[in-house]
Structure formats: C-alpha cells, structure tokens
Amino acid sequence: CGAGMDVLAVLALLSLCVSMRVQFACAFSQSLDSDFTFTLPAGRKECFYQTMKKDASLEIEYQVLDGAGLDVDFYLSSPAGNVLVRDHRKSDGVHTVEAEDGDYMFCFDNTFSSVSEKIVFFELILDNMEAEEGPDPEDWKEYVHGTDLLDMKLEDIMETINSVKARLGKSVQIQTLLRAFEARDRNLQESNYERVNLWSCTNLLVMVLVSGVQVYLLRSLFDDKRRSRT
C-alpha cells in the first residue's frame, strides 16, 4: 500500500509539472547567450544593440569567416555614447565590459573595402542578467503537499536538471565556436587553393613562352645563311 501511494505521488507531481510547463517552464530560465552570422557588404557598416542591466557583464566574441584580408573594424559604445572598445582591421577579438543600465551598441565596419564583402560571426555572452518579470520558479512548492512520501525531493531533481541544462548550454556554445573556426579555416584554405592555381597557371604560361623564345633563338643561330644566298 505504501509503494502504491509513492507511485501515485510521483504521478501527481509529474502531472503537476506538465500542467505548469507553460507558465513556469518547470523552473527553467531561457538562455541569454546568442550568436549570429551575417554578410557585411563592401563599403558598409552594420550596428547591433543589446539592452543591459547594471552589475551585469557583456562579453562579445567575433570572427571574420570569409572575405579578402579576413579583417574588419569593430567598436563598442556605452549607453552614454562613449566608445569603450575599438579594433582596427582585425580578424577576431574578444571583449568583456561591466555593464550599466541602457542599450549598448556594437558595430562592424567594412567601409575601408570597396570590393570585398565579409562574412562575420559574433557571439554574445551575458552574465548576471536578471530574468524577465514573470512567475516565480519556486511557486511550484505551493502546489505540492506530502513530499515527505518521496525518497527524492523535487529540489534535488530540479537542481540536477538545471545542472545538466547548464552543461548542455556550455557544450552548445563550444560547438558553435568550433563551427566558426572550422568555417573560417575552410574559407581560408579555399582562397589559398584558388591563389595557388592562379599562380601555377601563370608560371606555366610564362615557362612555355620562354621555351618558345629559346627555341626560336637557337634555330636562328644555327640557320645556314650561305644556303639562303644561293
């Protein structure tokens, strides 16, 4: 009978978690990290905005994946309009700032190039950002009674699941960065391959022309001019 009551308690708790999934998302908060890849045309500048709160930190990591020179100008401005970070024609960079309330602006500038467009990848990592206003994740405790019948408490379950979720989020972040590195290396190798083929064909053409000129000169040196006079 006691085992049956334990099973019924577990089923009741699971059904409660499912019913509260929409409102409380089972005590999960959405990840604040984000990444984006975009094409920056030649002679253009693209700016992005991120709303921050006081005592939070903003980390920006960017890489130029494709384009001549693999470089771009970058700068980060505070809500007051002060330039906090400025990079000149760099292929990658990582910057972290302690934030204040307001909208931060960061821009990628390709105006120095009039021909080549760039493919840029960047990732935002936001720390100490408070979750948006909404139901308290701990409100589920008000609906649960008789938890002493369970061998494992819901707090332990949620702590374990949150730990797994945090590790999965970190794994996704690392995999995203590795994909960005792989895309950049692949584009660089393809560019080098085309450059090597171009110069190889050019050298081959020059060698053929030089060989033809040498053959012509040798034949002209051994030509019997007396026979041509007779």
Side-chain angles (χ1 to χ4, degrees):
C1 182
M5 292 183 63
D6 290 345
V7 173
L8 291 176
V10 172
L11 293 177
L13 291 174
L14 290 177
S15 62
L16 175 63
C17 184
V18 172
S19 63
M20 298 171 61
R21 179 173 55 90
V22 177
Q23 292 183 350
F24 304 106
C26 285
F28 287 142
S29 60
Q30 294 183 353
S31 175
L32 297 176
D33 300 342
S34 59
D35 56 83
F36 189 56
T37 302
F38 69 99
T39 300
L40 182 60
R44 292 280 302 276
K45 178 175 67 174
E46 294 288 346
C47 295
F48 302 86
Y49 297 86
Q50 175 62 48
T51 301
M52 298 296 297
K53 296 183 178 180
K54 188 177 181 180
D55 298 330
S57 65
L58 170 63
E59 180 178 340
I60 301 178
E61 179 173 358
Y62 70 90
Q63 296 181 33
V64 182
L65 303 181
D66 195 12
L70 293 178
D71 54 359
V72 71
D73 291 342
F74 171 84
Y75 66 89
L76 172 66
S77 299
S78 67
N82 300 321
V83 178
L84 304 177
V85 176
R86 184 183 296 274
D87 292 337
H88 178 65
R89 302 193 69 170
K90 293 187 64 176
S91 60
D92 58 79
V94 180
H95 302 287
T96 303
V97 296
E98 297 299 325
E100 58 185 20
D101 291 334
D103 295 332
Y104 282 76
M105 180 180 71
F106 54 98
C107 298
F108 299 91
D109 192 348
N110 193 32
T111 55
F112 60 85
S113 177
S114 58
V115 178
S116 176
E117 66 178 15
K118 309 294 173 60
I119 297 179
V120 183
F121 163 84
F122 69 87
E123 182 179 25
L124 300 179
I125 301 176
L126 311 180
D127 292 330
N128 300 326
M129 288 286 288
E130 297 179 359
E132 297 180 356
E133 295 184 359
D136 186 357
E138 301 296 328
D139 287 348
W140 59 271
K141 295 181 179 179
E142 299 179 0
Y143 301 93
V144 179
H145 301 283
T147 55
D148 53 341
L149 299 177
L150 302 177
D151 294 330
M152 181 178 294
K153 297 181 180 179
L154 280 182
E155 290 87 347
D156 298 333
I157 297 176
M158 299 309 300
E159 182 180 355
T160 302
I161 295 178
N162 284 328
S163 176
V164 173
K165 177 178 178 291
R167 294 180 182 180
L168 288 176
K170 190 64 176 179
S171 300
V172 171
Q173 176 186 347
I174 295 175
Q175 290 175 358
T176 301
L177 291 177
L178 291 177
R179 285 197 300 269
F181 280 116
E182 188 273 336
R184 178 182 174 184
D185 293 340
R186 183 179 66 253
N187 293 327
L188 184 60
Q189 291 177 359
E190 291 177 354
S191 177
N192 291 337
Y193 175 76
E194 294 175 358
R195 189 175 302 175
V196 168
N197 286 341
L198 176 62
W199 283 107
S200 298
C201 294
T202 303
N203 291 334
L204 179 62
L205 180 61
V206 171
M207 291 176 61
V208 171
L209 292 176
V210 171
S211 300
V213 172
Q214 289 178 347
V215 170
Y216 174 77
L217 292 177
L218 288 175
R219 293 188 60 182
S220 63
L221 289 176
F222 291 98
D223 188 16
D224 191 356
K225 298 182 179 179
R226 292 177 298 178
R227 180 179 303 175
S228 59
R229 292 179 181 176
T230 57

